[in-house]
Amino acid sequence: IAEAAQHKLPIVAIDGSITDYNMKPGIHYESAKDFDELIVKAINLVNNRPYARDIANSLYELFKQTYSIEAANNAITKVFEPTVEL
């Protein structure tokens, strides 16, 4: 998923296979109930490039905000920030 996000590629996944609860079907990826539906949805993404680009960009932005080095650095910095001014 991270590699697809980095390259701004859309994802189609079988229901339940996405374990990142920040990722929402129809926003960050397409969800399919079975393999046959997965194939149909993948073909639909090829035929609807604006929608494919939108979900790929949404996934990219989510991963940039959540999993980038900058996001990790910000999270670590918050842990070590003093809670009381001296």
Side-chain angles (χ1 to χ4, degrees), residues 1-11 59-60 63:
I1 294 172
E3 197 168 319
Q6 290 173 349
H7 294 285
K8 294 186 179 180
L9 297 173
I11 293 175
L59 179 62
Y60 174 81
F63 268 68

Side-chain angles (χ1 to χ4, degrees), residues 17-81:
S17 65
I18 300 291
T19 58
D20 184 332
Y21 297 108
N22 292 318
M23 292 177 59
K24 306 295 181 214
I27 298 172
H28 302 110
Y29 69 99
E30 273 295 301
S31 182
K33 67 180 183 244
D34 56 33
F35 187 71
D36 291 335
E37 187 177 34
L38 185 138
I39 298 299
V40 169
K41 290 200 172 193
I43 291 169
N44 289 342
L45 285 175
V46 170
N47 292 329
N48 188 348
R49 299 214 181 222
Y51 176 66
R53 188 172 34 255
D54 287 347
I55 64 170
N57 286 336
S58 293
L59 179 62
Y60 174 81
E61 289 302 320
L62 174 68
F63 268 68
K64 189 170 85 173
Q65 293 169 6
T66 309
Y67 300 110
S68 68
I69 292 172
E70 183 181 356
N73 186 40
N74 289 340
I76 291 168
T77 301
K78 285 181 184 179
V79 170
F80 291 105
E81 285 179 348

